[in-house]
Amino acid sequence: MDTLPPELHAYICQAVCIDEGDTIRAVNQVSKYFHDVARPYLYHTVSAVGLRQIIALLDRLGHTPSHLRQVHHLFLSDLPHSKSSTAASQFRLTLTECNTIMRLVILSAPTLQTFSFFAASPFSSTSLIGRIFRVSFPHLHTLAISGFYPFPSIPGNFPSLARLHLDGNRNPQGLFQVSGLEEACPALTDLKVSGLGAAASFILELTEALRDPTANSDSMIPTRLPSRLRRLALQAGPEPSGCGAIVTLKDQAMMMTMGVLTVGFQDTHGVQLSVLERSKAGTCLEDLRRDWLKCAAPAAHGLIF
């Protein structure tokens, strides 16, 4: 190692950024020399789960010079590991806590390449995700959002985004209307929409978007897929329970139509459509974080789904 130039040592430091920062922090403590070499990569890949870790990370980044604050891959969750799924349904964030999360996102956004956000609180997830969609991410190419999300629609905020995973909105009707998705994400090639349930109206919207554009349409609102989209994956969430006969019928109609879509519209407009096996328990924090790590690893070339 002593015979190698600092440039190769720096390359090695970058190459070990395949976990959530444990390895590069260990390298940083080897010696004074490696402390200096590893410093620019300390925040290359970071994860903060729960408000305590988010506040600690924000404090460290706030005291780090901008040239050393290069966050390329970020995973955030408002819910700590210790919280159960039952506790998550009652979990509330204060306005101050929401602002803390946003300060961390804004501080990291200029250099982010991959970003996953698990928004567990049903009382703040929509507003938090909406605020995230209003932030500019000039270099972000992979984004995964889990929570009751609104739709990205502000032009120019995601100019490089190629892969998008949206999870947690059981019926995201309107996602493909009025070209909002394409204006926000003009480079989008891969889209996964999971957590669907009783979403018959969304599937009908998708059917309209997949229809031959030269055919006559009865829809009064323009509906189409992003022009660069090449792969679209759909996944239903857990079956609805205790919601009544109407919801059950809508869910059955959704599943039936999704099955028909894969046969009738395969490779329509150059888009490969796939329907994944129905999730039994929904997307959990660990599922999202595992997929994020695959994308954050330098050697990973697969999709987030």
Side-chain angles (χ1 to χ4, degrees):
M1 290 289 287
D2 293 341
T3 64
L4 299 179
E7 292 80 4
L8 282 181
H9 290 155
Y11 180 79
I12 292 171
C13 287
Q14 182 178 359
V16 300
C17 295
I18 58 175
D19 54 20
E20 297 170 62
D22 294 338
T23 304
I24 192 62
R25 285 194 294 270
V27 173
N28 178 253
Q29 297 173 10
V30 168
S31 66
K32 184 179 185 303
Y33 171 76
F34 274 103
H35 172 78
D36 294 335
V37 173
R39 280 185 72 195
Y41 305 101
L42 283 179
Y43 303 106
H44 184 279
T45 305
V46 290
S47 169
V49 178
L51 264 298
R52 180 177 298 180
Q53 292 187 13
I54 288 174
I55 292 171
L57 178 58
L58 179 61
D59 182 66
R60 291 198 300 272
L61 289 178
H63 290 87
T64 301
S66 58
H67 69 284
L68 298 176
R69 194 174 59 224
Q70 302 289 312
V71 184
H72 289 189
H73 309 287
L74 178 65
F75 180 92
L76 293 181
S77 168
D78 60 1
L79 185 73
H81 285 295
S82 57
K83 295 284 187 180
S84 64
S85 58
T86 302
S89 64
Q90 304 170 351
F91 181 52
R92 290 179 180 269
L93 293 176
T94 66
L95 178 59
T96 300
E97 290 170 336
C98 291
N99 289 339
T100 298
I101 294 174
M102 286 307 304
R103 283 164 55 201
L104 180 56
V105 172
I106 292 170
L107 199 63
S108 307
T111 56
L112 277 182
Q113 297 177 13
T114 70
F115 177 34
S116 292
F117 180 48
F118 186 83
S121 173
F123 306 101
S124 58
S125 62
T126 304
S127 61
L128 257 178
I129 295 169
R131 291 173 68 181
I132 288 173
F133 286 160
R134 292 194 290 273
V135 176
S136 175
F137 296 87
H139 304 292
L140 191 69
H141 60 71
T142 301
L143 173 64
I145 293 289
S146 181
F148 191 71
Y149 57 87
F151 307 140
S153 59
I154 300 178
N157 280 2
F158 299 95
S160 304
L161 190 68
R163 296 188 284 271
L164 175 63
H165 178 190
L166 296 173
D167 172 76
N169 188 335
R170 293 182 63 82
N171 185 22
Q173 183 182 10
L175 182 63
F176 300 120
Q177 292 178 349
V178 201
S179 304
L181 184 60
E182 180 168 23
E183 291 178 3
C185 314
L188 190 65
T189 60
D190 296 79
L191 173 64
K192 177 181 179 180
V193 183
S194 61
L196 298 171
S201 55
F202 169 70
I203 299 303
L204 288 176
E205 175 187 316
L206 175 59
T207 304
E208 177 73 21
L210 288 167
R211 185 175 297 176
D212 184 346
T214 61
N216 293 326
S217 173
D218 297 328
S219 176
M220 299 180 63
I221 303 177
T223 302
R224 65 187 181 89
L225 299 176
S227 59
R228 294 191 180 185
L229 192 68
R230 293 297 174 262
R231 286 166 290 276
L232 172 61
L234 305 176
Q235 185 178 33
E239 294 185 23
S241 59
C243 297
I246 295 178
V247 174
T248 300
L249 288 174
K250 286 184 177 180
D251 190 74
Q252 292 173 351
M254 176 194 75
M255 295 300 294
M256 183 181 302
T257 309
M258 285 169 63
V260 172
L261 280 177
T262 57
V263 176
F265 294 99
Q266 190 74 15
D267 293 325
T268 301
H269 310 310
V271 177
Q272 181 180 357
L273 176 67
S274 59
V275 176
L276 308 180
E277 183 179 354
R278 182 165 210 160
S279 172
K280 303 300 182 183
T283 301
C284 69
L285 187 154
E286 288 304 325
D287 290 338
L288 202 69
R289 190 158 71 165
R290 182 181 61 250
D291 291 341
W292 165 75
L293 271 176
K294 290 179 182 178
C295 291
H301 299 287
L303 303 182
I304 58 174
F305 44 93

